[in-house]
Amino acid sequence: MAASARYMNEKPEDKNSLDLSALDFGPAWAREGEGKTKKNYKDYEPRGAGSRKPFKGKGGRPQHGEGRKFDRGDKRRGKFDGKKGGRPPRPAFVQAPEGVSAEIMPIEAGVDNMAKEISAAGRTYSVFELAHVVLGARERFHIVFRKEEGAEDLLQCKKDHSVYLTKEECVAHFLVSDWKSEFYEEEEVEAEPPTGSFQAIAKCGLSGEILGPPNYHAYTHNVLELHRTRFAHMDLERYKSRIQTVRSEEAVSEWLESMKKKTQYKVVGEEGVVLDDPLAVTKHFQEKHFDEVFRATHRADVPSDIPAKLLSPGLLTLLKETVADQRRYPGKLASFLCRQLSGRHLAVFKWQGKLHCGPSRPHVVPEETTIADRPKQMLDWVQANPGGGVDQLWKDVLPEGVSEEAKKEWYHDLHWLLNQGYVVLMSDGHLYDSALSKEKPKAKKVKSAKGGATKRSKPAEPESSEEVKSEPVAKEPADKQSEVPASDSKEIAEEVKTEGSEAEEA
């Protein structure tokens, strides 16, 4: 009850915005924001016409082309050579694939803790506010990819849960993966360097990897293999245009020296089997281990903060678009939360035209029900002070010099009123009589096609046929409702859609 008292006794002004900081949504949820500081702009002075400082000779603003001259060469552009640093090129945009959908799912532990908090505090929250809380950090939800009817299966790795659309993408991931050593052991051995007349060395302009002389017999294979494994999202001809050629004896000598050693691959578990190059490794993996490592599936779950390299470029685009769309309007997530919270014995209902979730549906006190003095006193106060703060309630109804033990009994009685649905405690700390749930919001004025203003009122909400029996007296706290009817999925979907269209119009 100490926790309940703490939540009950908060001031409304401290709850102006949704605050579920007490929830433990996972490793980083409750700690979000720790150690971060906001920029302080109080000392910022905007530069206006009268705020410009006078020029002071050479230290003033350069005029007539004088002053710094920018070097528009490779240094300014930060050309990336793979070894000397610089800014890597931005990857090309890849469209989201057709035939694949993505959904946001909150983690189960987060929904469990959310339900416990709502039950313990007795507060009622907007379902859309709860959805925005879930979307507030990537650790609070995961992404579910689903293939649609007629589309190809998704391919998910059993080692690191990466997801790809094609077998080629899976093999390319295998070649650079950390678990490749589980199947093949690399070993450097001495080798004879290539012979011939080499005048220049080509290297990848994106990664800096050496491709060899253009007249070397393996050059074309090296280009195609690097493009396939690292830059398949780029057009091949465009990739070839980024290849650089260095003409110097030093570069040729360095390459010849590197060719005196080559890498062999020993197959783990197959004594005496040695593969000479990555192409042979790729072929062996596809024949022997592909089905062991990758599985075809119609559904793939991944964490929302999955590294980009563990997703097909198209799926990464789909993930980003799905998260951005839901943060603008979390209709699908709100509908899912309605079902999940209803299944955890909470009530999902409309409060003045908006979907909310709380410990119980609003219920008017039946005429034949007699309520004990303490809860009756609080109920009368709420009816006389609609929207009053819970802190003011305690100031007005608690007797002077009341003991801590007696306060707990008052808290028990308020919880009973909330659990029966006779009183509604909103997330901002304001109390309302349950009868106000049927009040319709004021009609909004929207512009008509002719430019005039017309009133638009919300459709009437159907009366609820459900009733909860009330205890005749409240000397002891009522037990938590063992079962709360879940809202109909189709009705919830319609309400979510209606609320979303109203928000867009506003």
Side-chain angles (χ1 to χ4, degrees), residues 132-165:
H132 281 297
V133 168
V134 173
L135 292 167
R138 288 291 185 95
E139 297 86 359
R140 302 177 186 176
F141 60 93
H142 59 276
I143 304 294
V144 178
F145 294 111
R146 284 189 175 91
K147 76 150 191 172
E148 298 175 356
E149 187 175 356
E152 295 292 330
D153 284 340
L154 301 169
L155 298 172
Q156 186 165 29
C157 179
K158 301 176 185 178
K159 299 288 185 180
D160 52 23
H161 306 292
S162 55
V163 185
Y164 298 98
L165 297 172

Side-chain angles (χ1 to χ4, degrees), residues 6-7 19-25 30 117:
R6 173 169 56 84
Y7 289 111
D19 181 14
L20 293 178
S21 58
L23 297 184
D24 181 14
F25 284 91
E117 174 69 14

Side-chain angles (χ1 to χ4, degrees), residues 171-187:
V171 174
H173 172 62
F174 150 72
L175 292 174
V176 296
S177 66
D178 297 331
W179 45 266
K180 176 183 175 183
S181 57
E182 297 180 18
F183 301 96
Y184 306 96
E185 292 181 357
E186 297 183 6
E187 181 184 15

Side-chain angles (χ1 to χ4, degrees), residues 21-183:
S21 58
L23 297 184
D24 181 14
F25 284 91
W29 287 44
R31 301 191 301 274
E32 184 181 5
E34 289 184 4
K36 297 180 180 179
T37 57
K38 294 183 179 180
K39 294 182 179 179
N40 187 1
Y41 294 102
K42 67 179 182 179
D43 298 327
Y44 173 75
E45 295 182 2
R47 294 191 63 181
S51 63
R52 293 180 179 175
K53 297 180 181 180
F55 299 128
K56 297 179 181 180
K58 295 183 179 179
R61 179 180 296 176
Q63 302 181 59
H64 307 295
E66 297 178 357
R68 292 186 297 170
K69 294 182 179 180
F70 293 99
D71 179 9
R72 298 185 179 275
D74 292 344
K75 290 183 180 180
R76 182 171 183 257
R77 296 181 182 179
K79 204 164 189 178
F80 182 70
D81 63 4
K83 292 183 179 180
K84 297 181 180 180
R87 180 180 298 175
R90 179 177 297 178
F93 174 77
V94 179
Q95 292 282 356
E98 296 183 0
V100 182
S101 62
E103 294 180 354
I104 292 177
M105 296 290 180
I107 62 172
E108 288 294 322
V111 180
D112 288 341
N113 289 333
M114 183 184 288
K116 290 177 183 176
E117 174 69 14
I118 293 173
S119 234
R123 294 184 184 244
T124 294
Y125 294 88
S126 162
V127 175
F128 278 75
E129 286 181 337
L130 295 176
H132 281 297
V133 168
V134 173
L135 292 167
R138 288 291 185 95
E139 297 86 359
R140 302 177 186 176
F141 60 93
H142 59 276
I143 304 294
V144 178
F145 294 111
R146 284 189 175 91
K147 76 150 191 172
E148 298 175 356
E149 187 175 356
E152 295 292 330
D153 284 340
L154 301 169
L155 298 172
Q156 186 165 29
C157 179
K158 301 176 185 178
K159 299 288 185 180
D160 52 23
H161 306 292
S162 55
V163 185
Y164 298 98
L165 297 172
T166 64
K167 193 171 183 178
E168 290 72 20
E169 289 178 337
C170 294
V171 174
H173 172 62
F174 150 72
L175 292 174
V176 296
S177 66
D178 297 331
W179 45 266
K180 176 183 175 183
S181 57
E182 297 180 18
F183 301 96

Side-chain angles (χ1 to χ4, degrees), residues 102 146 218 253 264 331 376 396 402 412 488 503:
R146 284 189 175 91
S253 300
Q264 289 184 339
K376 182 67 166 63
D396 293 347
V402 63
H412 274 291
D488 183 76

Side-chain angles (χ1 to χ4, degrees), residues 214-435:
N215 60 335
Y216 179 52
H217 68 89
Y219 170 76
T220 302
H221 167 74
N222 293 341
V223 172
L224 295 177
E225 188 66 16
L226 186 58
H227 171 264
R228 184 179 67 85
T229 57
R230 298 280 301 277
F231 306 102
H233 59 277
M234 294 179 62
D235 179 74
L236 179 58
E237 294 303 320
R238 182 186 171 199
Y239 172 72
K240 287 182 177 180
S241 68
R242 304 299 293 271
I243 295 176
Q244 302 172 353
T245 302
V246 180
R247 297 183 178 276
S248 71
E249 294 183 3
E250 292 181 358
V252 173
S253 300
E254 184 179 350
W255 175 76
L256 288 173
E257 189 65 27
S258 67
M259 296 299 289
K260 290 182 179 180
K261 291 183 178 181
K262 70 174 185 178
T263 303
Q264 289 184 339
Y265 303 87
K266 292 183 178 180
V267 180
V268 176
E270 296 184 25
E271 191 67 29
V273 179
V274 179
L275 306 175
D276 292 330
D277 53 54
L279 185 61
V281 172
T282 299
K283 183 177 180 181
H284 186 274
F285 175 78
Q286 289 177 314
E287 294 175 354
K288 302 290 185 179
H289 301 296
F290 187 88
D291 294 335
E292 175 187 344
V293 175
F294 291 93
R295 67 183 182 95
T297 178
H298 68 282
R299 165 182 171 148
D301 293 31
V302 299
S304 59
D305 56 353
I306 184 172
K309 65 180 181 180
L310 300 184
L311 283 180
S312 173
L315 294 179
L316 180 62
T317 301
L318 180 59
L319 183 151
K320 292 179 179 178
E321 291 178 350
T322 301
V323 173
D325 289 344
Q326 286 297 289
R327 282 179 173 164
R328 280 192 294 270
Y329 173 67
K332 291 183 179 179
L333 180 57
S335 180
F336 179 79
L337 282 175
C338 287
R339 297 191 296 270
Q340 292 295 306
L341 294 172
S342 295
R344 287 165 170 80
H345 307 292
L346 292 174
V348 177
F349 55 90
K350 286 187 70 176
W351 175 264
Q352 298 183 357
K354 302 293 182 181
L355 280 171
H356 283 71
C357 178
S360 175
R361 290 176 179 269
H363 294 284
V364 178
V365 182
E367 294 181 358
E368 66 276 10
T369 299
T370 303
I371 301 180
D373 292 340
R374 280 197 306 265
K376 182 67 166 63
Q377 188 176 349
M378 288 186 283
L379 180 60
D380 291 342
W381 186 94
V382 172
Q383 291 174 343
N385 301 276
V390 67
D391 190 64
Q392 189 61 44
L393 167 71
W394 297 131
K395 288 181 180 179
D396 293 347
V397 303
L398 284 178
E400 292 185 9
V402 63
S403 64
E404 291 298 323
E405 199 64 30
K407 284 182 180 179
K408 292 182 180 179
E409 295 181 1
W410 284 87
Y411 297 153
H412 274 291
D413 292 340
L414 181 56
H415 261 293
W416 181 81
L417 290 172
L418 297 174
N419 289 334
Q420 296 302 319
Y422 300 153
V423 172
V424 177
L425 175 60
M426 304 304 292
S427 61
D428 58 6
H430 293 92
L431 292 158
Y432 296 91
D433 179 30
S434 60

